[in-house]
Amino acid sequence: MTNTLYDALIAPHANTADPFLERDDGVTLSYADFVKRAAQIAHVLIETGVTPGDRIVVQAPKLSDTVALYAAAVQAGAVYLPLNTAYTLSELHYFISDATPALIVCDDGDAPQIAEIAADVGAKVLTLAGDAGSLSVAANDRPTQFETVPRGPDDLAALLYTSGTTGRSKGAMLSHKNLLSNATVLTDLWQITAQDRLIHALPIFHTHGLFVALNTALMAGSCVRLMAGFDVDTILDELPRSTLMMGVPTFYTRLLGDARFADGLCDKMRLFVSGSAPLLAETHKAFEARTGHRILERYGMTETNMITSNPYDGPRVAGTVGHALPGTEVRITNPETGDTLPYGEIGMIEVRGDNVFQGYWNMPEKTAEELRADGFFLTGDLAVMEPDGRIAIVGRAKDLIISGGYNIYPKEIEDVINDADGVTESAVFGVPHPDFGESVIAAVVPAPGASPDPDSIRAKVEAQLARFKHPRRYIILDALPRNTMGKVQKNVLRQDHST
Ligand code: MCA
Ligand code: AMP
């Protein structure tokens, strides 16, 4: 009996004493220990009532047991559904009622409120908190062997929610094949091996930190320095002992902003990878000037995993995201007609391959809108392709803000603001930000005769939405700028309010 992802990423390490997870507390978990821990957790999952195909919602701290829970979910044939730890209860409510999980794993402190939401869908609740969470404690005396549940390439391994331009998040269904194909290609392309030590400072609830970083490390048998989050001091300490780092552009600008970040620290480093948001050409150049390393920029999406990458051996060109990955087809099309455009013309990136998801959970119409019958997925990103296949992203056809690598869909915030007393309408837009790349601003139009209080609007937004989505500024306007078709001109708002 086979389990596509487990057999490729986890089972081969059952007898390997090499280090896998080096934690902040100095404890190192070997690969063999990790495989055993995943088995123990898989036992708890099954005993809790998780059956193959069930969703497991995970909103938990970044612990070695959280990584083991991911492996355990795969081994038990379940569908792993990680959520940003910043999400509010109101956001959580939506995800849980949409995904109807069998089990929710959360931080200890959140468990009482989450239990109330869980009750609505009949889900059980377990916790992860240091070594003391109920899941970890229950796993401690379980057997270290678990009979792997068979799963094929087309079975779902994960469900990752990604916000939408309509304001409702959509669950991207990712199969074992989707994840394995991307891990195989990236491990090979970036020449990741068991000799690598990866600086892992990304969150593990998104594609970048979970699949790009962890699946490639598992595939290659690399050592992972698992950090709770991004902290410049810790990174500076770990660089001399490491070979590989993956990060969002904010990681690189923050490192460059620290005078202690100097060339000698990176002697052992082999590769710095950036993605999730555009890396400014000036950051790329400043990084090379400081360290001698050319950051390798790649591009992807939750629905597609990674799509393109700059080459490992060839030229890494600043301001471009490189070429389509092996086995992945990319075409640039006219967004209106869908026709493929000649080289050099700006159009929409479309992608097809084993990396492309299975559709949106419970949303067949949305799936049909974004996934063409011939298998190409419409990314909503605008780009040009050179005759050698190199791609440069030049903009977005979708109304999206990317702040510090987190995607923020204005519509979701506008819906909350528009619902506030004394508001006729609003427009949420992004302006350049030196640390996060973009930051969020809200323009609010009062109802006739009303003078809405920005503080009460802010309080309403803060009660419902995660901190990273909160507008950093509210502007009251008599009217929103519109074009002749009546469409709000966010580019005009951006120009007028960028400083
Ligand atoms: C934290 N805050 C943020 C962000 N992060 N606000 C806006 N944007 C953010 N990204 C809030 C905090 O709650 C805090 O609020 C204040 O801003 C400053 O926090 P700070 O301590 O500076 O933040 P941090 O904890 O250092 O986090 C910044 C970070 C983090 C390290 C850049 O956001 C991060 O790890 N980002 C990576 C996201 C990621 O993995 N994206 C991949 C998605 P207060 O004002 O209350 O103090 S996957 C994807 O996009 C595709 C598939 C792909 O291609 O990879
Ligand atoms: P997500 O919806 O979280 O999966 O984010 C995917 C989006 O992030 C893409 O559609 C792009 O807009 C953006 N993105 C990811 N990598 C890059 C990159 N290297 N350069 C520019 N944008 C990127």
Side-chain angles (χ1 to χ4, degrees):
M1 282 299 193
T2 58
N3 176 311
T4 304
L5 209 52
Y6 187 84
D7 294 349
L9 298 187
I10 297 144
H13 303 298
N15 299 309
T16 313
D18 291 344
F20 175 37
L21 297 175
E22 287 186 17
R23 311 189 323 198
D24 285 333
D25 61 5
V27 171
T28 297
L29 211 65
S30 72
Y31 267 97
D33 289 344
F34 177 75
V35 175
K36 288 184 187 139
R37 188 63 181 163
Q40 290 184 309
I41 294 179
H43 278 287
V44 179
L45 299 184
I46 299 299
E47 287 162 23
T48 311
V50 171
T51 59
D54 279 349
R55 279 75 57 210
I56 300 177
V57 163
V58 181
Q59 191 193 38
K62 188 176 171 186
L63 305 168
S64 54
D65 265 357
T66 318
V67 182
L69 171 59
Y70 163 54
V74 172
Q75 191 174 18
V79 178
Y80 193 73
L81 195 172
L83 292 176
N84 194 323
T85 47
Y87 287 149
T88 62
L89 282 175
S90 138
E91 289 168 304
L92 229 64
H93 196 278
Y94 169 75
F95 296 122
I96 291 171
S97 52
D98 191 54
T100 58
L103 171 67
I104 302 168
V105 179
C106 62
D107 204 345
D108 254 352
D110 303 327
Q113 294 102 314
I114 288 180
E116 286 177 29
I117 308 176
D120 292 344
V121 296
K124 304 265 174 43
V125 177
L126 290 171
T127 64
L128 281 175
D131 292 331
S134 58
L135 174 58
S136 301
V137 170
N140 287 341
D141 57 8
R142 293 298 185 275
T144 55
Q145 302 270 329
F146 176 86
E147 192 165 340
T148 304
V149 173
R151 293 273 96 180
D154 296 328
D155 285 320
L156 294 192
L159 187 60
L160 263 65
Y161 276 83
T162 159
S163 307
T165 40
T166 53
R168 276 188 75 208
S169 285
K170 301 164 288 183
M173 299 188 287
L174 295 156
S175 68
H176 281 239
K177 182 170 71 188
N178 293 150
L179 300 182
L180 182 57
S181 66
N182 218 232
T184 308
V185 165
L186 296 177
T187 306
D188 185 50
L189 193 72
W190 297 341
Q191 301 186 16
I192 300 174
T193 70
Q195 276 65 55
D196 276 310
R197 181 174 190 264
L198 170 73
I199 292 187
H200 194 306
L202 288 160
I204 51 171
F205 42 71
H206 282 313
T207 295
H208 198 165
L210 183 60
F211 302 138
V212 184
L214 286 180
N215 283 356
T216 54
L218 281 163
M219 175 127 256
S222 316
C223 174
V224 174
R225 174 63 183 89
L226 194 75
M227 302 172 182
F230 181 86
D231 172 65
V232 173
D233 290 342
T234 314
I235 306 264
L236 294 179
D237 276 353
E238 297 292 350
L239 274 169
R241 287 186 289 283
S242 305
T243 62
L244 180 59
M245 183 168 117
M246 297 185 191
V248 295
T250 301
F251 284 19
Y252 296 106
T253 49
R254 286 190 182 179
L255 282 172
L256 285 169
D258 195 303
R260 295 170 298 166
F261 179 59
D263 174 10
L265 291 178
C266 303
D267 287 352
K268 235 186 134 192
M269 285 296 291
R270 180 176 73 72
L271 181 63
F272 291 92
V273 178
S274 177
S276 311
L279 182 75
L280 294 179
E282 67 190 60
T283 309
H284 192 278
K285 288 183 186 124
F287 201 87
E288 185 178 16
R290 185 86 69 90
T291 66
H293 286 273
R294 292 181 74 82
I295 298 172
L296 183 154
E297 185 171 8
R298 69 15 167 222
Y299 154 70
M301 278 186 80
T302 303
E303 289 92 332
T304 62
N305 298 288
M306 297 306 98
I307 302 170
T308 72
S309 170
N310 268 277
Y312 184 75
D313 282 326
R316 300 178 193 161
V317 180
T320 79
V321 292
H323 305 88
L325 293 173
T328 298
E329 294 169 80
V330 171
R331 65 187 185 197
I332 309 291
T333 59
N334 178 320
E336 264 81 55
T337 63
D339 294 338
T340 301
L341 293 169
Y343 294 121
E345 284 192 24
I346 296 178
M348 163 100 68
I349 300 179
E350 295 191 18
V351 54
R352 178 165 72 179
D354 285 348
N355 51 321
V356 175
F357 75 142
Q358 308 301 299
Y360 294 114
W361 178 258
N362 279 342
M363 289 187 182
E365 320 77 38
K366 276 275 154 212
T367 305
E369 274 170 33
E370 298 184 28
L371 202 52
R372 291 187 192 280
D374 64 2
F376 273 92
F377 173 71
L378 283 75
T379 61
D381 292 308
L382 299 176
V384 287
M385 189 191 278
E386 299 305 322
D388 68 354
R390 183 178 286 280
I391 291 163
I393 297 177
V394 297
R396 296 175 203 135
K398 51 194 173 190
D399 191 14
L400 162 70
I401 301 166
I402 306 184
S403 168
Y406 286 144
N407 284 12
I408 299 167
Y409 280 86
K411 177 78 168 62
E412 187 183 12
I413 305 165
E414 289 161 2
D415 283 349
V416 177
I417 298 175
N418 294 349
D419 202 35
D421 287 343
V423 173
T424 290
E425 61 174 347
S426 62
V428 168
F429 55 99
V431 295
H433 187 276
D435 185 32
F436 288 136
E438 287 185 277
S439 76
V440 183
I441 297 196
V444 180
V445 178
S451 41
D453 171 19
D455 284 341
S456 69
I457 299 175
R458 180 177 286 118
K460 188 176 169 67
V461 169
E462 292 184 2
Q464 292 185 45
L465 303 177
R467 172 77 185 118
F468 68 89
K469 299 176 188 172
H470 299 172
R472 296 308 197 242
R473 206 152 34 108
Y474 289 83
I475 304 157
I476 306 288
L477 295 180
D478 291 338
L480 298 175
R482 291 183 189 277
N483 65 15
T484 48
M485 310 288 289
K487 193 170 184 297
V488 175
Q489 292 170 303
K490 294 204 173 173
N491 54 333
V492 172
L493 289 168
R494 257 190 296 278
Q495 268 164 26
D496 291 351
H497 302 283
S498 273
T499 46

